[in-house]
Amino acid sequence: MKFATRAIHVGQEADPTTGATIVPIYQTSTYTQEAIGQHKGYEYSRTGNPTRTALEQCLASLEEARFGLCFSSGMGATTTVLMCLKAGDHVVASDDVYGGTYRLFQKVLTEFGLSFTFVDARDLASVKAAMTDRTKLVWLETPTNPLLRLADIPAIAAITRQHGASLCVDNTFASPYLQTPLDLGADLVVHSTTKYIGGHSDVVGGAIMTNDETWHTALKFRQNSMGATPGPFDCWLTLRGVKTLALRMKQHEINANAVAQFLRSHPLVTVVHYPGLAEHPQHELAKRQMRGFGGMISFEVVGGLDGGKQVVTRTELVALAEGLGGAESLIGHPATMTHLAIPADERRARGVTDGLIRLSVGIEDTEDLIEDLRQALAVLG
Ligand code: P1T
């Protein structure tokens, strides 16, 4: 079965008890047992819930994985991966990551004896140089949030394997429609399903997919032990969203491409980061490991911090908000919003300048988006 068919059907057979065509919201915390330990596969909804199972099976299929597990948020999924490590273990992570991921790694997990080296993952020599005898995990975002930088997944998978470590890719920005990291050599894929997978900015969730049974067993044990699990209604909303993932990603990309072309020819825009532009330094890598370029763009305008802040508050159709991947376009200012948790000097050193603007290009009519950006940019000159 191809992608769009799997998104609509896998894990979503008619309900065995009623024939309901759409997977029901099994809004129950527990399940009646016929005798002690004798049940229909479910005992308690932290451990398992049929609506969650449907979503887990569907997402596993979309990521070409044997196993899928869902969580209450992307951060819940990320925390669960990292909780499979032990005090003393070392992680190599790409330096351009969601601010909340940086905060979890650097401000929470270091308290538990994990250590992190952040590297520019575009540079394979830096990744190699950061690996130590204690490195157990390499953590990549590709494309990154917010700079849309790419990491070469097969090449980094090879480096990771040589050191006996595992590679985890946060695939949130690409979505499984555009990139399947397990096919490219990764061991684990993480998603904030809050974004493209859910697709309607109305539910927070996370997921982990793998083909590795040892990892799956460890993760499932922690999913149940730590309890960052999603409720049945959240799983149902996500499942409803994912049915249109393929359609939505096609339109996100059409719009993002048009918006990127508009921005790059605008006199008050100094730089545009979008992997679909021929001048993006990793355009060739994007063509090799992705099936399209997605709906996220970041760009800089003249006037630095002031210029950036003025533009993001001036759009009318495009909402000023954290988050991304929904039907509606969102605009944000990473330095003061999504990436505020990263100390200013480190943030700037990584290229997240004070004037950087991030745009999640939605699926509205292209012309309306460009018109709104045109009038917002007019504030600069
Ligand atoms: O928000 P949550 O579902 O917990 O997911 C965290 C997360 C993980 N990975 C990436 C790449 C992300 O972008 C996020 C969340 N990001 C935002 C809320 C944002 O506006 O960038």
Side-chain angles (χ1 to χ4, degrees), residues 42-110:
Y42 295 95
E43 295 162 83
Y44 187 64
S45 279
R46 170 163 37 73
T47 318
N49 175 283
T51 317
R52 189 172 101 206
T53 303
L55 178 62
E56 291 180 336
Q57 289 177 353
C58 181
L59 296 185
S61 166
L62 298 186
E63 281 291 358
E64 308 287 352
R66 284 171 67 202
F67 308 107
L69 295 169
C70 288
F71 296 85
S72 52
S73 66
M75 293 319 301
T78 301
T79 304
T80 306
V81 172
L82 273 292
M83 282 289 137
C84 293
L85 304 187
K86 293 187 182 62
D89 288 349
H90 173 248
V91 179
V92 173
S94 48
D95 61 6
D96 188 35
V97 288
Y98 169 54
T101 302
Y102 172 88
R103 178 176 56 200
L104 171 72
F105 288 2
Q106 203 63 343
K107 303 202 173 149
V108 179
L109 295 173
T110 49

Side-chain angles (χ1 to χ4, degrees), residues 73-75 98 101 141 145 170 172-173 192 194-195 204-205 322-324 338 358:
S73 66
M75 293 319 301
Y98 169 54
T101 302
E141 255 180 41
N145 181 358
D170 181 334
T172 300
F173 263 41
S192 168
T194 316
K195 312 293 161 32
V204 172
E322 307 229 357
L324 58 109
T338 47
R358 192 187 73 180

Side-chain angles (χ1 to χ4, degrees), residues 222-270:
R222 282 158 183 78
Q223 181 194 42
N224 187 41
S225 305
M226 291 162 52
T229 48
F233 182 53
D234 286 0
C235 292
W236 185 87
L237 276 175
T238 308
L239 207 47
R240 171 171 150 134
V242 83
K243 282 180 192 281
T244 55
L245 180 61
L247 272 179
R248 287 186 282 107
M249 290 315 293
K250 286 177 197 160
Q251 192 60 38
H252 280 299
E253 181 156 338
I254 290 170
N255 282 359
N257 193 47
V259 168
Q261 295 294 350
F262 162 74
L263 290 172
R264 73 190 275 279
S265 58
H266 196 287
L268 301 173
V269 174
T270 53

